[in-house]
Amino acid sequence: MSGRLKLWISAAAALVCAQALTSLFLKPGFALIALSDVLQFVLLLAGTVSLLPNVFATHGRIRLFWALMTLGMAFWMSYQGLWMYFEVFLRKDFPNPFGGDVVLFLHLVPMTAALAMQPHVQSNDRTTRLGTLDFALLLVWWLYLYLFAVIPWQYVHSYEPSYDHNLNVLYLTEKVVFLGCVGMLWLRSQGSWRVIYANWFGAGLTYSLSSYIANWAIERKIYHTGSLYDVPLAISMAWITVIGILALNSPGKQQPARASGGYGVWVARLGMAAIFSLPLFALWSLFDAGIPQNVRTFRLVLTLSSMLLMGALVFFKQHLLDCELLQLLTASQESFGNLKRVQAQLVQSEKLASLGQLVGGAAHELNNPLTAMMGYSELLAATQLGCEQRLLMQKIEQQVRRTRTLVSSLLSFAKQVPAEKTLVDINALVQTAVKLCLPQSRGPNVQVHTDFARELPRVLGDSNQLLQVCLHITNNALHALTDTGGTLTVTARLQDASVLLEFSDDGPGMQEPERVFDPFYTTRPVGQGPGLGLSVCYGIIQEHNGKITCQNRPEGGAIFRIELPAAVDPEHAPGSFPRSPELLPEVKAAASH
């Protein structure tokens, strides 16, 4: 602890000693009254000032806690200032009843509200917000009790004995509630916060006992301002200064929320109990024949007004809860959707794992006849052939080479070995796939429309694998249009940070679009396809960190969407993308034949 803080505590102790000496050695009179009132005001000012630095040194609910405690001390200091104004400056007895008594009653209200913040416990904004509303109900209820029990005997039907009795009982009840809340937090806290709450409990208990003893002395006409009855009161005031300095010197750490127990639940229950108590007070006022009619009318109007105000707070709290429930429902629906997608991807991954083993074996078996076909084509090329025969031989060789490339890609996919990826121009690749598939379309009324965005960013991937995906999807769409005819529309555009490809046809659509990527699923007759193509396509797109989906169009037909992450070509300036050539260089020759 620094020397300045020790000096501050020593000054507070000196003020208490001065109060004790004044009470012992000065006779009742104006000097004793003036010194006692000034000393108590200075002690309350010191307590308020000592709490204030904690407001600026903290944040969140801890800052709100110290701000409310400082506000309560400011109310108490203001009431002492009013007392000093009457007795020292005006040299008059303090009036009774006095409208400023509400300031003394209110000084414990923000302090009790500060305890509801539970600054020693880690909590989220939701708990703080709802807890604040719950305690707002209790604060309104406390004000209602003061207006119900005290104010009528001051302004509506002035009667000093009832005013004093009701004020003392209500203020005593308020102090008991404050001590109960502090004691509960003291037992539930640990570390520095336990020390802080213990000191608040000690100061509050000292103040409550001194107030009770002073009221006992006032009833027996043995109390006067500055008497020894004020010494414990001065001790409780100086104790607040010590609390502020201790908190600033060793700020407490928050503990996990589970240590808070059901305190927040009880605050909500007490708020509801406060609302349900209002009709009981109204019935009491209505059937109590011992109170004047004007007091009864005032209490009934006050009760109805309080019910409206507290009902509005409950409505606002319910609105916040409804909004929170809607958010939770939306979040749960999104989580459930994400869970289903993850489950579907997991099932698909398991199917692809088994498919990979099958494809790996089949690809190895295909390599043998392909090697033989390649050798025979080379032998055939060494013989004397006519122009037409040589052209057919070259086409055979070209298709064999293409098949070997696809088999190599399947082997790479089956072994889960990433293929060598380069920057691929999607526009050129899709144009190539369309041109290669057009000669194979059998329908007389089949049309293909393309709509490619200019200057699309390139995609990092394997051109052979992506071409295989585009070829397979295009072939499937053209096959679906063979009997009925129709139009296949292929589009490519930039969406956010991805290149989006769409293959849309107006054919009969898919019977089960959610199963088209399952291995061995096919709607074709037996012998016209094993149902592996779209599974391979799914695996290729997944390897490229993309997404492929299939769904039926509302107006008829099916649509395949492929999303691939865009990559900027390092050979071009940032912000600009290369324009797509008409065809990929390695497949130009294939497209020309």
Side-chain angles (χ1 to χ4, degrees):
M1 186 180 296
S2 65
R4 182 180 298 178
L5 297 181
K6 292 180 180 179
L7 180 62
W8 195 276
I9 295 178
S10 300
L15 290 175
V16 174
C17 293
Q19 174 69 60
L21 294 174
T22 299
S23 301
L24 285 173
F25 296 107
L26 286 182
K27 296 180 179 181
F30 176 75
L32 177 62
I33 293 174
L35 283 175
S36 179
D37 286 347
V38 171
L39 285 174
Q40 291 180 20
F41 179 81
V42 173
L43 281 172
L44 291 174
L45 177 62
T48 305
V49 173
S50 68
L51 295 179
L52 196 59
N54 292 282
V55 179
F56 300 102
T58 56
H59 61 278
R61 288 184 303 113
I62 301 179
R63 170 176 290 180
L64 184 59
F65 169 81
W66 289 113
L68 290 173
M69 285 295 188
T70 305
L71 179 62
M73 285 299 300
F75 281 158
W76 193 5
M77 181 186 66
S78 301
Y79 183 76
Q80 181 63 31
L82 293 174
W83 194 288
M84 183 175 62
Y85 173 74
F86 278 97
E87 291 191 334
V88 177
F89 293 96
L90 298 182
R91 298 196 177 190
K92 295 181 180 180
D93 291 334
F94 200 74
N96 189 35
F98 177 53
D101 288 337
V102 68
V103 179
L104 180 63
F105 175 80
L106 286 176
H107 94 274
L108 284 178
V109 174
M111 288 184 168
T112 311
L115 298 177
M117 295 294 102
Q118 301 185 85
H120 66 287
V121 175
Q122 296 175 356
S123 180
N124 52 30
D125 293 337
R126 170 192 174 274
T127 305
T128 303
R129 182 171 62 250
L130 295 180
T132 302
L133 285 175
D134 289 331
F135 210 87
L137 292 172
L138 296 178
L139 296 184
V140 173
W141 187 70
W142 277 111
L143 293 175
Y144 163 78
L145 288 181
Y146 184 85
L147 296 175
F148 183 91
V150 178
I151 292 300
W153 306 114
Q154 181 177 2
Y155 295 107
V156 180
H157 186 87
S158 181
Y159 187 60
E160 184 176 337
S162 295
Y163 175 86
D164 290 338
H165 177 267
N166 290 350
L167 177 60
N168 290 334
V169 171
L170 191 60
Y171 191 41
L172 178 61
T173 305
E174 189 180 26
K175 287 183 286 189
V176 170
V177 171
F178 176 79
L179 286 175
C181 294
V182 175
M184 185 184 300
L185 296 181
W186 178 20
L187 295 176
R188 293 174 179 270
S189 60
Q190 56 188 11
S192 299
W193 279 111
R194 190 178 182 88
V195 176
I196 292 173
Y197 288 139
N199 280 276
W200 272 115
F201 185 83
L205 182 62
T206 303
Y207 172 66
S208 299
L209 292 177
S210 63
S211 297
Y212 179 80
I213 296 173
N215 288 332
W216 176 84
I218 290 173
E219 292 178 357
R220 286 158 178 75
K221 309 295 183 182
I222 59 176
Y223 173 84
H224 59 271
T225 302
S227 64
L228 288 175
Y229 296 104
D230 285 345
V231 175
L233 182 64
I235 293 175
S236 66
M237 294 175 178
W239 207 331
I240 305 298
T241 303
V242 176
I243 294 174
I245 294 174
L246 286 177
L248 188 63
N249 187 60
S250 57
K253 296 181 179 180
Q254 291 182 316
Q255 59 196 52
R258 61 177 180 273
S260 64
Y263 183 78
V265 176
W266 279 106
V267 171
R269 291 174 179 173
L270 290 175
M272 292 297 102
I275 294 177
F276 291 134
S277 69
L278 296 182
L280 299 179
F281 282 106
L283 291 175
W284 177 26
S285 301
L286 190 61
F287 295 105
D288 188 1
I291 61 175
Q293 181 61 37
N294 53 355
V295 174
R296 180 183 294 109
T297 303
F298 173 80
R299 286 179 170 178
L300 289 174
V301 173
L302 173 66
T303 302
L304 291 175
S305 302
S306 300
M307 290 175 67
L308 289 175
L309 178 58
M310 297 179 75
L313 289 175
V314 172
F315 177 81
F316 181 65
K317 178 184 176 182
Q318 190 61 43
H319 172 71
L320 292 180
L321 289 174
D322 290 341
C323 294
E324 181 179 349
L325 287 176
L326 288 176
Q327 292 176 356
L328 289 175
L329 179 60
T330 303
S332 62
Q333 289 176 342
E334 292 179 355
S335 299
F336 183 70
N338 292 333
L339 181 62
K340 290 182 65 177
R341 284 192 290 272
V342 170
Q343 184 180 11
Q345 291 178 358
L346 181 61
V347 172
Q348 189 71 19
S349 299
E350 293 293 333
K351 292 178 181 178
L352 288 176
S354 59
L355 175 65
Q357 296 178 356
L358 177 63
V359 168
H364 279 295
E365 293 298 326
L366 286 175
N367 269 332
N368 294 328
L370 287 175
T371 303
M373 293 171 63
M374 196 67 186
Y376 288 133
S377 64
E378 291 176 354
L379 291 175
L380 190 60
T383 62
Q384 294 182 356
L385 299 174
C387 294
E388 184 177 356
Q389 293 173 333
R390 189 168 296 277
L391 182 61
L392 293 174
M393 184 274 301
Q394 291 176 352
K395 287 185 177 182
I396 292 174
E397 183 181 2
Q398 184 181 30
Q399 294 302 320
V400 170
R401 292 183 183 277
R402 178 184 163 208
T403 305
R404 288 189 65 180
T405 302
L406 294 181
V407 170
S408 177
S409 298
L410 285 175
L411 280 172
S412 177
F413 172 71
K415 295 176 182 178
Q416 297 182 349
V417 178
E420 183 179 354
K421 296 179 180 179
T422 57
L423 291 176
V424 178
D425 189 334
I426 290 296
N427 280 351
L429 187 141
V430 178
Q431 287 175 0
T432 302
V434 170
K435 289 192 174 185
L436 289 175
C437 291
L438 273 179
Q440 304 176 26
S441 60
R442 302 179 181 87
N445 299 319
V446 176
Q447 297 181 353
V448 178
H449 292 166
T450 57
D451 182 14
F452 302 144
R454 299 177 62 84
E455 299 183 352
L456 271 181
R458 300 196 178 199
V459 171
L460 187 63
D462 183 274
S463 59
N464 289 320
Q465 290 184 344
L466 294 178
L467 179 61
Q468 177 187 354
V469 172
C470 295
L471 285 171
H472 190 84
I473 295 177
T474 305
N475 275 326
N476 278 0
L478 294 176
H479 183 273
L481 298 175
T482 300
D483 298 330
T484 60
T487 303
L488 169 64
T489 304
V490 185
T491 62
R493 66 179 186 273
L494 181 65
Q495 179 175 295
D496 297 332
S498 300
V499 174
L500 178 63
L501 298 179
E502 289 186 352
F503 299 82
S504 175
D505 64 74
D506 53 4
M510 308 295 294
Q511 293 180 5
E512 296 176 291
E514 68 277 1
R515 294 190 56 197
V516 295
F517 299 110
D518 291 350
F520 307 107
Y521 174 79
T522 180
T523 57
R524 297 184 183 183
V526 178
Q528 293 190 16
L532 293 173
L534 287 177
S535 298
V536 176
C537 294
Y538 181 90
I540 291 174
I541 297 302
Q542 290 290 315
E543 185 185 345
H544 285 74
N545 299 321
K547 184 193 301 184
I548 180 170
T549 59
C550 172
Q551 64 186 42
N552 287 327
R553 301 169 60 209
E555 59 273 19
I559 180 170
F560 282 82
R561 289 189 176 91
I562 299 175
E563 294 183 29
L564 294 169
V568 179
D569 192 340
E571 297 179 359
H572 296 78
S576 64
F577 300 105
R579 300 183 65 176
S580 302
E582 183 180 3
L583 294 176
L584 289 175
E586 60 269 24
V587 293
K588 266 188 180 178
S592 63
H593 289 288

